[in-house]
Amino acid sequence: MRHIISVLLENESGALARLVGLFAQRGYNIDSLNVAPTDDATLSRLTLVTQGNDQVIEQISKQLHKLIEVVKVSDISEAAHIERELMLVKVKANGNQREEVKRCADIFRGQIIDVTPGTYTIQLVGTSDKLDAFIQALGTTPILEVVRSGASGIARGEKTLAL
Amino acid sequence: MTSQTQPDDKSANPNRSTEMLSGAAMVIRALADEGVEYLYGYPGGAVLHIYDALFQQNKVKHVLVRHEQAATHMADAYARASGKAGVVLVTSGPGATNAVTGIATAYMDSIPMVILTGQVMSHLIGGDAFQETDMLGISRPICKHNMSVRRPEDIPYLIKKAFHIAQSGRPGPVVLDIPKDMTMPNQKFPYHYPTEINLRSYQPKQQGHSGQIKKAVTALLGAKKPILYAGGGVIMGGASNELTELAQLLNLPVTNTLMGLGAYPAGDKQFIGMLGMHGSYEANQTMHHADVILAVGARFDDRVTNNTKKFCPDATIIHIDIDPASISKTVNAHIPIVGLVQPVLSDMLALLKQKKKKLDSAALQSWWQQIEQWRAVHGGRYDTTAPLLKPQYVIEQVSKITKGEAYVCSDVGQHQMFAAQYYPFNKPNRWINSGGLGTMGFGLPAAMGVKLNYPDADVVCVTGEGSIQMNIQELSTCKQYGLGVKIINLNNGYLGMVKQWQDMNYESRYASSYMDSLPDFVKLAEAYGHVGIRVTTPEELQPALERAFALKDQLVFLDIHIDPKEHVYPMQVPGGAMNDMFLSKTERT
Ligand SMILES: Cc1ncc(C[n+]2csc(CCOP(=O)(O)OP(=O)(O)O)c2C)c(N)n1
Ligand SMILES: [Mg+2]
């Protein structure tokens, strides 16, 4: 099962390496990882997408808790939540294809953010599934480059992961 | 990722004029303020400022080993015997990497330690400078935490933080990497040692959840076939008294893990021996058939459970542990209790006394009858008629002459299992061995660490001719510091434990398990200035032991030639249940 784990981490050198090392050392997989400081500069917020059965996810969350710099851990996919990922896609766009790509981007509410005579760069925000679907929808359009941020997530409603 | 945690100045005393100290002096001063008596280490370029500061005071005493691994094991064994963190100081690069095995050994057994490693100057880090290794990277997966010094003025705070993390929660080793420029003798900073550390991200639990404790007590009182399974957590958690009281209040059979020996007195009739791979027949049978298992400070290690799919099919498991990650990791716990074992057991005791209820006495009686029958089947037997010296007999004699009161520090192999099985530990903190990592070479430095701190106690190193050679150079350290350790070298001329597996699984093809060209250990001991005694027959054993233990302050190396064919039994059948065991070369359950 796919899980989205959110972590509040002390913004200290070595903390991220320790967290990533834990996954490698214990054989847990990381589908994606997204990290940045929060409004509180002493804290980083991290969103990690992983796979595993209940027992594995429970161990992951317990092992994360054990790391000294980890302040809070939550499996936000356990309850109602919002997930967003940013993707930048550079495609070859010539002649007829230009219109085709534009229409496709519009349908997915993407924006063309850079244009050259032969290429388009599209920005798209959504769930990871939606980004996958967009890539599928591009069909035969030659993709030159894909950059994805990995999912970021937040719980719906009043629930927060904060100090 | 930028900021370094700021020193917490809450405990500053404004009236005291602050002293100005160099980083190097602060390192030593902080250790003194922490109450550290001995520092185990080895000098080198990156830590020379610290050694110079050490030289200029007399509160913290330094023990110069002959190899950094030995320094880590000495500190580790001191921690196992005393419950307080041991401290190590090594230089950068090879000094630090030599300490790695010792750090991993302590980590696997949850032993509190603080390891100070030198590092090249800050501006050289990352440039492959002379004797630079990324010690933070190397030690990350084998320590509880590691940190580096970024500003000299942070040193007192970081040292306090290292001790705090090492000694609280589930204990473990903490590495502090100190670049040389943090210790410059002519750069001085205000020194203040914090009295406490409060980390928002690290607040280990103390008390157990009262609802869970109630549930556990109810389950326990409903048991017809209970067992108490206690591990190293009871020893490091200082909960032996509570454990013993609880077991005796309810008349529970008690088994200890390899790490937990001494947590419950071995001489008591309720003790049914160690459990697991080389556990007693009765302990493994009792576990397998139990209906309620009270697991305390133990972690259901694979050397205990055997095949987890066949593990204790009828048992309700109550698991008390300080580390939530140890609960339901390999075996599902029905009633988990997270907390320090000592307060949790106290709470359980209070509740039990208040309830004034006992277990169903008829059921318990027939359970004990069954256990006594199991006990009669094996009961720690070995061939006593053989002409060759049996290792089991040697251990029994060592236990007699030391009245079961010695600190027994073991290496790793068959001799370790014989010591665990045949030396009855009646007190906690007396059995000191590398259970989790199984580090050959641990025994001698461990014995040294204990003897240095408990000079009046009998300290025995039980070893084999393979293991002892992994840190034999420490005989020199023993001479320098007058460490009167008694070395019991159970010399079978083989890497016996490896040979046993080859006998059982590889049709006795002894691939590299034979120790050729062994030294003359008696002469070797003498070369280092110690006493060596060779024992080759059963008759020679008694007088040799008497002589050795009469030489109070001297290191005596007893090279005892034993039956090379002996195997350790019982031994669980791989892939089987708890109670699938080989009982001898010809018997199987
Ligand atoms: C550092 C290290 N290397 C290898 C091993 C694997 N090993 C476990 S027991 C053993 C044999 C130990 O031989 P010895 O010290 O003579 O003890 P014996 O089993 O003969 O009593 C070996 C090689 C180990 N535990 N530690
Ligand atoms: Mg041997």
Side-chain angles (χ1 to χ4, degrees):
Chain A
M1 256 266 283
R2 178 175 183 267
H3 288 258
I4 304 173
I5 300 187
S6 287
V7 181
L8 276 183
L9 190 68
E10 293 287 1
N11 189 1
E12 282 175 19
S13 75
L16 182 60
R18 206 183 309 282
L19 190 145
V20 173
L22 172 78
F23 277 73
Q25 178 196 349
R26 297 200 178 258
Y28 310 139
N29 76 311
I30 300 180
D31 286 354
S32 73
L33 175 64
N34 170 301
V35 199
T38 63
D39 55 326
D40 176 348
T42 68
L43 284 175
S44 296
R45 170 77 176 237
L46 196 141
T47 309
L48 195 147
V49 178
T50 186
Q51 308 274 346
N53 60 29
D54 288 354
Q55 207 203 340
V56 171
I57 299 299
E58 186 182 323
Q59 265 297 313
I60 289 178
S61 119
K62 284 172 168 179
Q63 293 291 349
L64 283 171
H65 261 300
K66 267 175 81 168
L67 299 180
I68 305 295
E69 295 112 334
V70 167
V71 186
K72 283 194 170 169
V73 179
S74 166
D75 179 354
I76 61 163
S77 50
E78 272 187 337
H81 66 281
I82 295 159
E83 170 194 347
R84 288 291 180 272
E85 181 171 357
L86 169 75
M87 176 166 73
L88 305 176
V89 195
K90 190 176 287 180
V91 297
K92 219 179 218 160
N94 291 315
N96 288 347
Q97 259 172 347
R98 289 181 85 84
E99 207 32 50
E100 189 83 13
V101 170
K102 174 130 191 2
R103 204 174 317 126
C104 190
D106 285 344
I107 292 169
F108 279 83
R109 296 210 200 131
Q111 292 158 286
I112 294 170
I113 54 170
D114 189 44
V115 181
T116 70
T119 68
Y120 272 156
T121 299
I122 306 137
Q123 167 187 302
L124 198 66
V125 174
T127 63
S128 302
D129 280 351
K130 180 177 159 182
L131 306 192
D132 291 344
F134 178 68
I135 290 186
Q136 290 288 317
L138 282 173
T140 55
T141 310
I143 296 174
L144 300 173
E145 210 175 329
V146 174
V147 187
R148 294 174 67 153
S149 65
S152 289
I154 198 162
R156 275 189 188 278
E158 306 277 302
K159 214 171 145 192
T160 59
L161 187 71
L163 278 188
Chain B
M1 304 251 155
T2 47
S3 76
Q4 173 89 20
T5 310
Q6 293 301 306
D8 164 357
D9 258 8
K10 256 189 241 159
S11 48
N13 181 348
N15 299 326
R16 215 178 64 191
S17 64
T18 36
E19 263 177 284
M20 300 295 284
L21 295 178
S22 72
M26 282 201 268
V27 170
I28 300 305
R29 182 56 183 283
L31 295 180
D33 286 350
E34 189 58 41
V36 173
E37 187 178 2
Y38 290 109
L39 179 58
Y40 312 90
Y42 209 94
V47 287
L48 281 183
H49 296 324
I50 301 177
Y51 270 84
D52 195 49
L54 195 52
F55 192 83
Q56 297 181 44
Q57 53 87 57
N58 51 22
K59 275 200 179 133
V60 180
K61 287 168 262 182
H62 182 262
V63 178
L64 178 68
V65 291
R66 301 297 179 264
H67 185 292
E68 288 87 350
Q69 182 185 351
T72 58
H73 294 330
M74 282 186 84
D76 170 320
Y78 160 69
R80 291 180 201 242
S82 70
K84 288 185 235 144
V87 192
V88 175
L89 172 61
V90 293
T91 192
S92 67
T97 56
N98 271 352
V100 164
T101 301
I103 298 170
T105 301
Y107 182 60
M108 287 296 278
D109 288 343
S110 309
I111 304 303
M113 236 164 63
V114 172
I115 304 98
L116 308 173
T117 56
Q119 186 51 277
V120 300
M121 301 257 196
S122 310
H123 71 276
L124 296 176
I125 291 179
D128 303 319
F130 177 65
Q131 295 196 328
E132 179 190 359
T133 50
D134 173 10
M135 195 52 191
L136 293 174
I138 289 173
S139 65
R140 196 173 290 132
I142 54 162
C143 66
K144 183 172 176 185
H145 192 59
N146 63 22
M147 304 176 282
S148 70
V149 179
R150 300 300 181 80
R151 304 184 312 170
E153 54 269 47
D154 292 345
I155 286 175
Y157 171 78
L158 290 171
I159 288 184
K160 183 75 197 177
K161 185 173 166 186
F163 277 94
H164 170 62
I165 292 171
Q167 297 182 138
S168 58
R170 178 177 182 173
V174 176
V175 173
L176 182 60
D177 207 38
I178 311 177
K180 188 170 185 179
D181 52 321
M182 299 294 114
T183 59
M184 303 308 265
N186 48 6
Q187 294 173 14
K188 301 200 173 171
F189 305 89
Y191 173 82
H192 155 68
Y193 196 61
T195 51
E196 64 177 71
I197 296 284
N198 195 354
L199 300 170
R200 64 179 174 185
S201 62
Y202 175 70
Q203 302 277 345
K205 240 184 138 199
Q206 313 280 331
Q207 303 287 329
H209 186 276
S210 63
Q212 290 296 93
I213 291 176
K214 266 187 208 137
K215 259 198 219 166
V217 165
T218 308
L220 200 54
L221 288 173
K224 292 193 157 61
K225 298 172 176 184
I227 186 170
L228 206 168
Y229 149 51
V234 177
I235 299 199
M236 284 322 285
S240 276
N241 289 339
E242 289 76 7
L243 182 94
T244 305
E245 195 185 340
L246 187 128
Q248 296 185 346
L249 183 71
L250 300 177
N251 191 22
L252 305 174
V254 185
T255 179
N256 288 157
T257 66
L258 179 66
M259 292 307 299
L261 293 176
Y264 188 85
D268 188 85
K269 61 183 189 315
Q270 281 172 241
F271 186 62
I272 57 172
M274 178 171 82
L275 82 170
M277 179 172 276
H278 292 298
S280 75
Y281 178 77
E282 54 271 32
N284 286 346
Q285 287 286 16
T286 308
M287 272 297 272
H288 183 79
H289 291 98
D291 65 351
V292 175
I293 295 173
L294 174 58
V296 189
R299 60 186 177 92
F300 296 84
D301 174 76
D302 54 273
R303 283 293 190 267
V304 161
T305 59
N306 210 5
N307 186 346
T308 50
K309 292 202 180 73
K310 300 181 185 168
F311 180 76
C312 302
D314 306 324
T316 298
I317 295 173
I318 305 165
H319 191 179
I320 307 172
D321 206 286
I322 184 64
D323 180 6
S326 284
I327 294 178
S328 298
K329 183 172 71 172
T330 59
V331 168
N332 186 49
H334 304 93
I335 307 177
I337 303 175
V338 177
L340 291 171
V341 289
Q342 197 268 335
V344 172
L345 289 176
S346 293
D347 288 352
M348 283 180 80
L349 269 169
L351 206 59
L352 280 163
K353 285 179 188 162
Q354 173 198 327
K355 282 200 167 185
K356 293 201 181 82
K357 265 180 67 182
K358 291 275 161 77
L359 279 79
D360 173 346
S361 68
L364 193 59
Q365 206 185 345
S366 67
W367 181 227
W368 268 112
Q369 271 167 8
Q370 171 66 77
I371 294 168
E372 291 308 336
Q373 277 171 24
W374 284 325
R375 209 193 306 247
V377 171
H378 193 273
R381 68 185 141 89
Y382 60 91
D383 181 7
T384 48
T385 61
L388 290 172
L389 257 172
K390 289 289 180 181
Q392 301 93 329
Y393 175 73
V394 177
I395 300 292
E396 283 177 347
Q397 295 311 307
V398 171
S399 123
K400 260 196 200 137
I401 198 156
T402 56
K403 302 185 180 68
E405 295 273 315
Y407 288 89
V408 179
C409 303
S410 176
D411 258 305
V412 171
Q414 289 182 316
H415 59 271
Q416 174 190 25
M417 294 302 133
F418 291 130
Q421 293 175 331
Y422 290 90
Y423 196 105
F425 293 94
N426 285 314
K427 290 183 184 159
N429 309 88
R430 296 290 167 112
W431 165 242
I432 291 178
N433 88 130
S434 165
L437 198 67
T439 307
M440 287 172 70
F442 177 81
L444 176 57
M448 292 158 59
V450 176
K451 187 68 186 172
L452 182 73
N453 287 280
Y454 300 88
D456 299 329
D458 280 329
V459 180
V460 176
C461 164
V462 174
T463 185
E465 78 299 324
S467 294
I468 191 69
Q469 292 189 80
M470 286 216 174
N471 270 319
I472 192 88
Q473 76 288 344
E474 296 308 318
L475 287 174
S476 169
T477 313
C478 291
K479 187 67 194 169
Q480 182 174 352
Y481 296 94
L483 302 175
V485 168
K486 311 300 172 196
I487 298 175
I488 306 292
N489 186 36
L490 294 178
N491 189 339
N492 51 11
Y494 282 96
L495 300 175
M497 189 55 96
V498 173
K499 173 181 168 293
Q500 176 167 347
W501 284 56
Q502 289 167 336
D503 280 330
M504 297 174 81
N505 306 317
Y506 302 90
E507 296 166 319
S508 301
R509 288 188 298 277
Y510 300 146
S512 298
S513 56
Y514 176 61
M515 287 296 252
D516 209 350
S517 311
L518 286 174
D520 179 331
F521 287 110
V522 171
K523 278 195 192 150
L524 188 66
E526 287 168 359
Y528 278 107
H530 304 300
V531 178
I533 307 175
R534 182 169 297 109
V535 176
T536 54
T537 67
E539 298 72 51
E540 289 169 0
L541 181 65
Q542 203 55 39
L545 285 175
E546 277 166 22
R547 198 182 137 211
F549 283 91
L551 292 169
K552 269 276 167 238
D553 300 325
Q554 295 226 43
L555 184 148
V556 183
F557 193 118
L558 287 137
D559 183 31
I560 305 175
H561 292 237
I562 56 160
D563 184 350
K565 294 218 159 68
E566 193 58 45
H567 282 183
V568 183
Y569 292 110
M571 181 170 177
Q572 283 174 332
V573 178
M578 273 306 286
N579 64 341
D580 290 333
M581 286 169 272
F582 297 109
L583 298 179
S584 71
K585 285 184 183 166
T586 53
E587 300 160 276
R588 207 190 134 154
T589 50

